[in-house]
Amino acid sequence: MSSAPLPLPLTILSLARLGIGTSAFLFPSLTTNLLFFPQPTSSPGSLFNVRAWGSRDALLACLLYTAKTPEAAKRAVIAGAAVDALDFAGAVWGFGKGELEGLAAAAFSGGAIAFLALATVGWRVGGLGMVGRAVGKS
């Protein structure tokens, strides 16, 4: 995969992540409203938190999209999958504690699951090998 294009599922993943990340960074209120998670106006840091989430996703997208070697692609996919798994856990936890309403929890966890599915399919299609080998190498 040196200088070869990313497999289609990983390209879709990186572009989708870049889109949601850029949207969250530039238009935090609009993005959260589209995800059924209206931002409280009484909390001055709430828009910063959304922008931080957006910059994180945009960075993960760029790492994946610009990966030039299989090792770089593996690390980018693993980093994104770890973040998505934590996002899913956070949405489930937030819903369980009453901090997140049903539609918002479904939007956040559904997005994380979709990104995890794209990562899994892209990993297989791209022939990136076993996860343990990617994590174990330095």
Side-chain angles (χ1 to χ4, degrees), residues 38-137:
Q39 287 298 306
T41 55
S42 61
S43 176
S46 64
L47 295 182
F48 168 77
N49 293 336
V50 176
R51 285 190 171 104
W53 158 59
S55 65
R56 175 202 73 180
D57 265 18
L59 174 65
L60 288 169
C62 291
L63 284 174
L64 179 56
Y65 193 75
T66 61
K68 299 290 186 211
T69 66
E71 287 302 314
K74 288 177 185 181
R75 285 186 167 79
V77 171
I78 290 169
V83 165
D84 294 329
L86 289 170
D87 283 351
F88 176 78
V92 170
W93 188 346
F95 178 72
K97 291 185 73 175
E99 300 166 349
L100 203 55
E101 293 182 10
L103 282 175
F108 281 109
S109 61
I113 289 170
F115 282 178
L116 283 167
L118 282 169
T120 302
V121 171
W123 187 282
R124 302 283 274 161
V125 169
L128 296 180
M130 297 185 57
V131 174
R133 290 187 185 150
V135 175
K137 289 186 178 180

Side-chain angles (χ1 to χ4, degrees), residues 1-61:
M1 189 166 95
S2 59
S3 297
L6 286 174
L8 183 59
L10 294 183
T11 300
I12 292 169
L13 173 62
S14 64
L15 294 176
R17 195 182 288 283
L18 182 62
I20 193 74
T22 302
S23 174
F25 188 84
L26 296 176
F27 311 106
S29 293
L30 173 65
T31 304
T32 55
N33 284 332
L34 290 173
L35 295 173
F36 308 105
F37 188 70
Q39 287 298 306
T41 55
S42 61
S43 176
S46 64
L47 295 182
F48 168 77
N49 293 336
V50 176
R51 285 190 171 104
W53 158 59
S55 65
R56 175 202 73 180
D57 265 18
L59 174 65
L60 288 169

